[in-house]
Amino acid sequence: MQDLPDLRGATILLPNYHVAQPLAQALMQAAKLNQFQCEGETRRQRANDADSASSTAITSDLPACGLSRMASGSIRSERGSQRSITEAVELGALLLPQMVTLSDWALSIPLATPIQPDTQRITALYQALRERRWFADADLWSLSRELLGLMDDLTRHHVALPESETEFSEQLAKAYQARSGQAMQFEARVVHELWYAMAAGNELDSVRAYQQRLARLAQQVDRPLYVLLTSDLAAPEAYFLEACCARVAVTVFDLRKMVVDAPDCALLSRSLQHAAESADLRSDAAMLQNQPDAALSRRLRLFGAHSLEQEARAAEVQVRRWLLAGKQNIALVAQDRLVARRVRALLERAGVLVRDETGWTFSTLAVSTVLMRWLDALQSDFYYQDLLDLLKSPFIFADQEASTRKQAVYQLEQLVRKHGVASHLDAFLDLAHGENEVQVALARVRQAADTLRRNSDTLGGWLRALDDSLSILGVLQGLAADEAGAQLLQALQTWRQELASVSTRFSRAEWRHWLAQQLDANTFRDSSIDSPVMITHLAATRWRSFDAVLLLGSDSAHLPSTDNGSVWFNDAVRNTLGLPTRETHLAQQRDDLLALLAMNDTVLATWQASKSGEKNLLSPHFEMLRALHELAYGDDLAERELGVLLEGAQLRAADMPLPDEAAMPAPAVPHSLIPSRISASGYNSLVACPYQFYARHILRLNELDEVREGVEKRDYGEWAHEILHRFHQQFPVLVEHTRAELEEALQKISSEVFAPTVERDYLARAWLLRWQQAIPAYLDAQLKSEAEGWRYQNGEVPFELPLTGELTLHGRIDRVDVQTQAEGAVKVLDYKMMDATRLRNKLKEPGEDVQLACYAHVYEADEAAFISIEKDRVIAIAPQDLPELAQANIERLLAVFAQMREGAAMPAHGVDEACLYCEMRGLCRKSDWSAG
């Protein structure tokens, strides 16, 4: 029979709160068992001594009843009141001890001295580094954060630096086993000087505050302590327990030792030990052959994938299999976060939500993106892409109707792309003249920008200005309505309060870099998802039991994971100073992995056995485990059933009847989508490739106009058209003016048209020089045309010509000339900034290029020609048999539309030249079906 103490008089220090519930259940079971044993003993004593009025409790230490399996575990206790336990069990309730983590227990101790937040400490370090100019071109915010971590480590592990910088430098040289050189002296100076500078203040930092709380707590402890240990104690915790031992009984249960000593964990512990020591496995394998219970075949399986996608798909399939089997507590331990993100996406696509215990840094969330896009736009003087990205955020202008905001952004984007405005908020405001919704939005942007247009301020001042600007933009309302956004707003408010007393001024660039680091260092955790599947990390699984565990990324690159390390001091120095080393980090991972495998009966470890065609090694921990298990039991732990399921899924997908993707697309046009208007360029597209016309003009999949930030040839063509239009409007008949007057006028008009672009882009001057080179040749050609009796009539002439009641031809003609020597004769002209040979090739096959033929039909022109203007050559290229060609083109157009109405297909049979620059080539996938 065993006695249980009065649990109200004890405190159990937990490694984490996840173990609280299973521990409480274990205590309840132990109490019920103890009550049953006590009642049996009492009945025996009463039978032996009927006159006895009371029973005698037999006292002894409780055995450790399976603590390695928390579901049925107990704890070793001192003697206590049996009656209180018995009564509690009889009433259906157990008076549990205080169960708390040491960090939370310490927080219950008040401190009179204020605690300096880390935001202030990093700012002070940054200011010190900036003043000393030790690192001219370095990222001082990152260095400050690195130094802060080092100083916290020094404090946490009670490392006392020598008072003399020289002595410290000699200590480092001894640890490095090298002569004290300039670099080592510099490292010693930086750490030593900043250490004492930061320690000079009266305020406590979080580490010192924790140590003081523990010291005071140790003086107040008046009840027995039971400590559940899953990792090595840090120095403050070890000192705390030593101090407690002088006042109360302290019992420590090293749960790791219980796992190692458990018979069913013998193979696990040996393999992980051998992975660290690279020992021979044969002797252990021979011994394990006599221990069949140590086999892991039913508990652990390994799956080697051939790609990230296959690993993710395997994980998704396995999770769904477990859910179908009724498992309700499934952990995805993400050693490889990239794979974990893909698994999460696949599961959510299948309707399985995933809780994420690890969380996401704010820098990866959309709620932070709107902040950074806002600052990007301000820094780039509202470069159009930054501005449009900002305005497309769902969090901006949240005080407006979503439809109103979206319409304003759409209108602005159309204007920007149509007119090619690349930056400057004032330019966008001018562009939006007459568009009230767009103007209101841009006016708010300008008002918000004014609050942040300053050269320097304190970090708190910058955060206040940011808050004001976000309020003007309506972003605060949008963020407040989002769970992640609300947490971000709380973080911004906390930082602003913490930095209110800091008077150091920073430039906008420095502040923005600080803000980016803060967003990257803080994490959002979504508490709104309740799901049996969760993503966590290895350290968070300490002494937790799940229905099933999926260990993602179990290759040598991720397990053991490499500590990011520190730019200050190598492992030899850290060991000399008493700081944790890389071996400490690796040992902790071994302990965590061993506990995970020991505590859970269903574990699947996955990894990519090959990457980019190269072999990718399994984690040395699992490699040693697999080798030892195969030697002992002839089983390499490979998961083969899952691989067969994936292969079967691929075969079934391949057997499904799918559309023939290797065939030329040839859709028919629904009658309701047949256009009633067509331009000459649209007709050209129809002739070049019916599918191109279908995608462009029926489905309206035309790409948005790109904002041309540099000068392109089409800009040159537009400017040339404008110059010639203005010139001929001013000088309709050239022979009435002198050659010098004409050249001067044309040069002046050219300079005026090019001037705005030349002002903002010096490369435009090259295009101007190219145009000016063609001016003499153009005048020669025009004077020759006038000598033949042709006179300029009009330019940039729009037209709309009904061909039938269901189809109208529309467009714009560059120029129309009339013949003075033959009354009524008309010639239509189209300027082309290309070589004459290419234009001749366009007209070589009658009907292939329909532009001139359409223009000639509209004006019933006798002649039509392209005017090739290329460098110092100006040549007219005319088609043959124009009247017949014009009539034939119109008849063909009408016939094609008639066939379209009858359901004729629109095949993608364009020639290679038409496909070369076609933006729809990715849609028709000619490269696939043409190869087939």
Side-chain angles (χ1 to χ4, degrees):
M1 187 194 64
Q2 305 293 335
D3 288 348
L4 283 177
D6 183 353
L7 298 179
R8 293 172 299 179
T11 297
I12 300 178
L13 295 183
L14 305 174
N16 54 62
Y17 286 114
H18 296 293
V19 305
Q21 183 177 357
L23 177 60
Q25 293 171 349
L27 291 173
M28 176 68 79
Q29 292 175 6
K32 289 180 178 179
L33 176 63
N34 189 77
Q35 179 196 15
F36 177 77
Q37 294 174 339
C38 287
E39 289 175 350
E41 179 67 20
T42 300
R43 285 193 295 270
R44 286 193 297 273
Q45 288 183 359
R46 286 176 177 173
N48 295 331
D49 188 1
D51 297 331
S52 178
S54 62
S55 62
T56 304
I58 301 177
T59 62
S60 66
D61 285 346
L62 282 175
C65 303
L67 263 172
S68 62
R69 312 300 299 170
M70 183 64 75
S72 61
S74 181
I75 59 171
R76 189 180 301 273
S77 297
E78 294 182 336
R79 178 180 176 181
S81 170
Q82 177 62 39
R83 182 177 179 182
S84 62
I85 296 296
T86 303
E87 290 176 349
V89 174
E90 289 174 350
L91 293 174
L94 177 66
L95 301 179
L96 293 172
Q98 178 187 15
M99 294 189 291
V100 66
T101 63
L102 185 54
S103 58
D104 279 0
W105 197 15
L107 287 176
S108 65
I109 304 300
L111 293 177
T113 308
I115 301 174
Q116 186 181 29
D118 286 346
T119 50
Q120 291 186 12
R121 299 173 65 208
I122 290 177
T123 304
L125 280 170
Y126 184 94
Q127 183 182 6
L129 292 173
R130 187 172 63 177
E131 289 174 351
R132 288 165 173 78
R133 300 182 182 276
W134 283 333
F135 307 94
D137 301 320
D139 178 359
L140 296 187
W141 285 121
S142 296
L143 274 174
S144 300
R145 192 171 295 277
E146 187 78 36
L147 281 166
L148 186 69
L150 173 63
M151 292 179 182
D152 284 346
D153 267 353
L154 293 171
T155 303
R156 185 177 296 110
H157 295 88
H158 298 273
V159 177
L161 297 187
E163 295 186 5
S164 166
E165 181 184 313
T166 302
E167 186 179 349
F168 184 46
S169 178
E170 292 174 353
Q171 183 179 359
L172 292 184
K174 184 178 180 180
Y176 277 122
Q177 296 182 352
R179 290 187 177 182
S180 180
Q182 185 175 359
M184 195 177 304
Q185 292 174 358
F186 176 71
E187 183 180 35
R189 179 186 178 190
V190 170
V191 175
H192 190 272
E193 187 171 330
L194 293 179
W195 163 263
Y196 278 99
M198 294 294 291
N202 295 325
E203 291 182 323
L204 294 174
D205 56 56
S206 58
V207 178
R208 286 191 175 91
Y210 179 58
Q211 291 174 342
Q212 287 198 13
R213 283 191 168 107
L214 289 181
R216 295 186 182 184
L217 181 61
Q219 297 173 1
Q220 301 175 15
V221 171
D222 57 359
R223 57 173 63 184
L225 292 183
Y226 299 93
V227 184
L228 302 184
L229 195 64
T230 61
S231 61
D232 290 336
L233 291 171
E237 288 83 0
Y239 291 153
F240 167 77
L241 292 182
E242 287 180 6
C244 290
C245 286
R247 298 175 55 87
V248 297
V250 177
T251 305
V252 177
F253 296 96
D254 192 335
L255 304 183
R256 297 172 298 176
K257 185 175 185 301
M258 294 180 180
V259 170
V260 172
D261 292 342
D264 59 344
C265 297
L267 190 146
L268 290 172
S269 58
R270 288 180 180 278
S271 63
L272 293 184
Q273 179 182 0
H274 292 328
E277 300 173 353
S278 300
D280 185 18
L281 305 180
R282 292 182 179 85
S283 58
D284 279 338
M287 182 183 65
L288 288 168
Q289 288 175 351
N290 300 321
Q291 302 179 27
D293 293 340
L296 303 176
S297 304
R298 295 184 179 180
R299 295 173 54 187
L300 173 67
R301 283 293 168 186
L302 308 174
F303 180 79
H306 299 297
S307 66
L308 184 150
E309 184 64 19
Q310 189 187 31
E311 183 180 5
R313 287 181 59 247
E316 180 245 349
V317 169
Q318 185 59 65
V319 168
R320 293 170 66 184
R321 291 174 71 195
W322 282 336
L323 290 172
L324 290 173
K327 298 186 183 298
Q328 294 298 310
N329 187 14
I330 301 172
L332 306 182
V333 182
Q335 293 298 112
D336 188 338
R337 288 288 291 178
L338 189 61
V339 175
R341 285 198 293 269
R342 181 58 181 154
V343 173
R344 179 175 183 171
L346 291 173
L347 286 171
E348 291 184 348
R349 187 175 69 180
V352 179
L353 295 180
V354 179
R355 287 182 291 130
D356 194 339
E357 280 191 352
T358 59
W360 302 88
T361 60
F362 278 112
S363 60
T364 63
L365 303 179
V367 292
S368 296
T369 301
V370 65
L371 265 65
M372 303 315 291
R373 286 293 175 268
W374 168 228
L375 299 178
D376 286 340
L378 194 65
Q379 182 177 351
S380 66
D381 196 14
F382 294 96
Y383 177 61
Y384 80 98
Q385 288 186 348
D386 293 335
L387 178 62
L388 291 175
D389 284 348
L390 171 68
L391 296 180
K392 288 177 182 178
S393 169
F395 299 105
I396 197 170
F397 303 142
D399 51 356
Q400 294 181 345
E401 291 289 336
S403 58
T404 302
R405 175 183 60 81
K406 291 179 180 179
Q407 181 63 24
V409 177
Y410 172 78
Q411 291 175 350
L412 176 61
E413 183 165 14
Q414 297 301 314
L415 290 170
V416 167
R417 296 186 181 279
K418 179 180 179 180
H419 296 280
V421 178
S423 61
H424 307 302
L425 194 56
D426 290 337
F428 295 129
L429 281 164
D430 293 340
L431 192 64
H433 183 70
E435 302 287 350
N436 291 334
E437 293 176 352
V438 178
Q439 283 192 315
V440 169
L442 293 176
R444 292 180 68 175
V445 171
R446 180 162 64 181
Q447 182 184 359
D450 290 339
T451 65
L452 283 169
R453 279 179 172 152
R454 59 187 72 175
N455 293 325
S456 66
D457 201 346
T458 63
L459 293 180
W462 280 118
L463 289 172
R464 285 193 300 272
L466 176 65
D467 186 79
D468 292 341
S469 69
L470 295 179
S471 178
I472 295 170
L473 293 173
V475 173
L476 292 184
Q477 296 92 320
L479 294 180
D482 181 87
E483 184 175 0
Q487 289 191 28
L488 175 59
L489 290 179
Q490 182 59 50
L492 291 171
Q493 181 181 1
T494 300
W495 300 336
R496 189 167 64 248
Q497 292 171 350
E498 290 175 350
L499 295 167
S501 60
V502 177
S503 59
T504 307
R505 301 183 71 86
F506 298 89
S507 68
R508 186 165 60 191
E510 289 176 309
W511 163 68
R512 185 185 167 183
H513 194 176
W514 171 86
L515 180 62
Q517 281 209 346
Q518 289 294 111
L519 295 176
D520 199 46
N522 287 266
T523 302
F524 161 73
R525 291 179 176 85
D526 190 352
S527 59
S528 64
I529 296 178
D530 184 16
S531 171
V533 183
M534 72 169 184
I535 295 178
T536 188
H537 56 94
L538 185 58
T541 64
R542 290 173 187 169
W543 217 247
R544 296 171 67 181
S545 180
F546 305 95
D547 291 345
V549 175
L550 190 57
L551 194 60
L552 300 170
S554 304
D555 58 7
S556 58
H558 295 94
L559 186 67
S561 63
T562 55
D563 188 7
N564 291 332
S566 171
V567 298
W568 308 98
F569 310 146
N570 63 16
D571 271 1
V573 177
R574 295 180 68 86
N575 185 56
T576 300
L577 294 176
L579 297 176
T581 63
R582 182 175 182 273
E583 182 54 39
T584 307
H585 176 72
L586 296 178
Q588 181 61 67
Q589 285 192 73
R590 286 196 299 271
D591 291 342
D592 292 341
L593 180 61
L594 177 58
L596 175 69
L597 298 175
M599 290 284 294
N600 295 278
D601 292 329
T602 305
V603 180
L604 174 65
T606 67
W607 88 102
Q608 296 171 55
S610 60
K611 286 185 176 181
S612 303
E614 299 290 335
K615 187 175 181 180
N616 187 41
L617 298 179
L618 179 63
S619 165
H621 297 317
F622 283 116
E623 188 64 63
M624 193 66 67
L625 181 61
R626 178 169 67 176
L628 185 56
H629 197 274
E630 187 171 13
L631 285 173
Y633 306 109
D635 183 359
D636 64 356
L637 298 175
E639 171 55 64
R640 294 181 176 86
E641 182 181 354
L642 184 58
V644 173
L645 287 176
L646 291 178
E647 291 176 2
Q650 290 176 342
L651 290 174
R652 287 194 299 272
D655 292 339
M656 289 179 64
L658 296 173
D660 187 1
E661 297 182 357
M664 177 192 296
V669 183
H671 195 274
S672 60
L673 296 181
I674 296 176
S676 60
R677 289 162 50 86
I678 188 171
S679 65
S681 62
Y683 188 8
N684 255 337
S685 175
L686 180 61
V687 172
C689 176
Y691 185 83
Q692 182 189 86
F693 176 83
Y694 172 80
R696 283 181 180 175
H697 301 283
I698 294 176
L699 298 182
R700 301 181 184 275
L701 298 178
N702 305 56
E703 291 182 338
L704 287 173
D705 294 330
E706 291 294 333
V707 176
R708 299 191 293 275
E709 302 174 46
V711 179
E712 300 177 5
K713 191 167 185 179
R714 58 175 169 168
D715 299 306
Y716 172 62
E718 291 173 3
W719 296 327
H721 279 66
E722 182 181 353
I723 291 168
L724 293 177
H725 178 60
R726 289 173 57 178
F727 175 70
H728 284 295
Q729 289 290 100
Q730 185 177 348
F731 301 95
V733 182
L734 272 58
V735 294
E736 298 176 355
H737 305 274
T738 65
R739 177 66 179 250
E741 183 183 0
L742 295 172
E743 286 200 15
E744 182 182 356
L746 194 50
Q747 290 282 3
K748 181 181 178 183
I749 294 171
S750 301
S751 298
E752 291 173 353
V753 171
F754 273 86
T757 309
V758 170
E759 184 178 352
R760 68 173 185 266
D761 187 350
Y762 71 94
L763 293 177
R765 187 173 297 278
W767 291 100
L768 173 59
L769 293 173
R770 179 174 179 172
W771 167 250
Q772 289 171 337
Q773 184 182 3
I775 287 177
Y778 180 79
L779 291 176
D780 290 341
Q782 182 59 27
L783 289 170
K784 180 182 178 182
S785 177
E786 289 188 3
E788 294 172 352
W790 293 104
R791 294 291 184 269
Y792 175 84
Q793 184 188 62
N794 207 346
E796 300 297 326
V797 184
F799 68 86
E800 293 212 12
L801 178 65
L803 300 178
T804 66
E806 297 178 301
L807 184 62
T808 297
L809 182 66
H810 69 94
R812 183 181 296 274
I813 301 174
D814 289 348
R815 185 170 126 195
V816 179
D817 284 3
V818 295
Q819 177 59 257
T820 59
Q821 299 175 4
E823 186 175 352
V826 176
K827 179 167 63 175
V828 292
L829 301 171
D830 193 75
Y831 303 126
K832 295 294 184 183
M833 307 296 122
M834 65 175 63
D835 184 75
T837 303
R838 288 185 59 193
L839 292 173
R840 290 192 185 97
N841 291 334
K842 289 168 70 73
L843 299 177
K844 188 174 182 179
E845 188 69 30
E848 286 300 312
D849 190 282
V850 303
Q851 191 172 10
L852 287 178
C854 289
Y855 293 164
H857 179 80
V858 170
Y859 263 84
E860 297 181 356
D862 301 278
E863 295 186 29
F866 289 130
I867 303 298
S868 168
I869 304 174
E870 181 68 1
K871 298 182 180 178
D872 59 351
R873 301 181 65 189
V874 177
I875 302 172
I877 298 97
Q880 300 295 322
D881 302 322
L882 182 63
E884 295 82 358
L885 181 61
Q887 185 61 34
N889 270 286
I890 296 303
E891 291 175 358
R892 180 177 60 177
L893 177 60
L894 295 175
V896 169
F897 266 75
Q899 294 170 4
M900 200 183 302
R901 295 187 188 96
E902 293 173 359
M906 307 286 284
H909 61 198
V911 298
D912 291 341
E913 185 177 357
C915 298
L916 188 59
Y917 298 106
C918 178
E919 72 277 15
M920 302 302 167
R921 61 188 181 277
L923 190 62
C924 80
R925 294 172 296 189
K926 182 176 181 179
S927 59
D928 294 335
W929 53 261
S930 62

